[in-house]
Amino acid sequence: MTSHDRGSVPTDTQPEEPRSSSSKPAKAHHLPLWQETILLLAVALILAIAIKALFLQAFYIPSESMEPGLVKDDRILVQKVSYWGGGEPQRGDVVVFKDPGGWLPSQDAAGPTATLPKLMTKIGLYPAGGHLVKRVIGVGGDTIECCDDQGRILVNGKPLDEDLYVKVDQGTQCDGPMVNQCGTDWKAGPVPDGHVFVMGDNRGHSADSSQKMCKPKVETDCVPGPEFVPVDLVVGKVFVLLWPRQRFEFVSRPGTFEDVPAAS
């Protein structure tokens, strides 16, 4: 190789072909901002409706019947997972259920009337009207009695120690006063299958199952039955007191119900 060949370009080297325009990355196609906004709102709406239908829903406490734990106008969250797949309310659960008919005053049964709250109610972001909040005392097959020597409710013969959640009321001498103001004992049940017997924690001020019972020696033509709530009307179980913020807490099933024997 001669000196003038060093560093020279070989004669058989071909210049690079220019890249075809097809190898350039394609530009991403973006929707206009207004279309993206509508799409996101639609997705959010669908998710909210699905969550309401399957998982969670917001409600408010419509009366003083669940004091002292839940106060009128408190905001609560109800979960529906516990009752999936044929699951039913258990003794001690605080549940929300649709008015079986005539349990609520007309103003509480109506729900929100303004357009925005009504829309928010549809997707579970605003408390719905026409519902009640009570504690399940008896389930299918159970017999509920009032009361033992200490004024306690008995379920299948087992007295309930309810001091932790029942409101202390000097004018109420037992835990089942709505039938006859504790004047005489009463019995309810057996609870029909697919139904529950419910009571408020503010026993002297609660339009609950005991208040719907036939009153001994008063309603001679009363037909038993309206005191039992169909399980199909139960929306779900209260698990969070959400608002007011300073009283936020989880709502759980009291331990006293664990010792209740099965219905015979």
Side-chain angles (χ1 to χ4, degrees):
M1 178 182 294
T2 58
S3 59
H4 65 271
D5 290 326
R6 293 175 183 165
S8 62
V9 178
T11 57
D12 59 347
T13 302
Q14 300 295 324
E16 291 187 2
E17 294 285 340
R19 294 184 180 180
S20 67
S21 58
S22 61
S23 64
K24 295 180 181 179
K27 292 183 178 179
H29 178 69
H30 293 285
L31 293 174
L33 179 60
W34 67 271
Q35 290 185 355
E36 287 188 354
T37 302
I38 292 176
L39 179 61
L40 289 174
L41 288 175
V43 171
L45 181 62
I46 292 171
L47 287 175
I49 293 174
I51 289 171
K52 174 194 171 184
L54 299 174
F55 299 100
L56 300 175
Q57 192 168 350
F59 288 93
Y60 68 94
I61 303 299
S63 70
E64 61 181 351
S65 69
M66 287 303 292
E67 293 179 357
L70 300 174
V71 180
K72 185 177 180 180
D73 293 329
D74 280 355
R75 266 46 179 178
I76 54 177
L77 281 181
V78 167
Q79 59 96 341
K80 306 180 181 185
V81 178
S82 294
Y83 304 151
W84 281 3
E88 294 189 353
Q90 303 296 307
R91 304 182 196 98
D93 287 352
V94 177
V95 297
V96 170
F97 58 96
K98 296 177 183 177
D99 187 352
W103 284 48
L104 280 172
S106 56
Q107 65 270 21
D108 293 328
T113 56
T115 301
L116 182 58
K118 286 173 67 176
L119 176 61
M120 294 176 67
T121 297
K122 293 290 185 182
I123 60 177
L125 299 179
Y126 192 87
H131 293 77
L132 297 97
V133 185
K134 306 293 179 188
R135 188 179 300 276
V136 176
I137 302 298
V139 296
D142 288 346
T143 299
I144 301 94
E145 300 175 77
C146 177
C147 288
D148 69 359
D149 293 340
Q150 300 179 42
R152 298 178 297 181
I153 293 286
L154 297 93
V155 180
N156 300 335
K158 177 69 176 179
L160 300 177
D161 293 317
E162 302 185 278
D163 293 343
L164 289 177
Y165 54 87
V166 167
K167 184 173 182 177
V168 177
D169 183 355
Q170 298 302 322
T172 301
Q173 302 303 314
C174 70
D175 288 342
M178 298 303 289
V179 178
N180 48 36
Q181 293 302 315
C182 305
T184 56
D185 293 341
W186 55 263
K187 179 184 289 188
V191 179
D193 288 341
H195 292 71
V196 289
F197 186 94
V198 298
M199 299 180 74
D201 290 348
N202 187 1
R203 295 290 163 82
H205 302 275
S206 177
D208 54 27
S209 290
S210 65
Q211 195 268 341
K212 294 295 179 181
M213 289 176 56
C214 296
K215 308 301 187 290
K217 300 180 182 180
V218 176
E219 301 174 358
T220 56
D221 59 346
C222 177
V223 178
E227 64 267 31
F228 304 119
V229 178
V231 170
D232 290 345
L233 296 182
V234 175
V235 176
K237 179 169 66 173
V238 179
F239 80 107
V240 166
L241 168 56
L242 188 65
W243 192 266
R245 182 179 57 188
Q246 63 271 22
R247 291 178 43 239
F248 176 94
E249 67 175 347
F250 290 97
V251 179
S252 59
R253 183 184 304 143
T256 186
F257 290 91
E258 297 176 0
D259 298 327
V260 174
S264 59

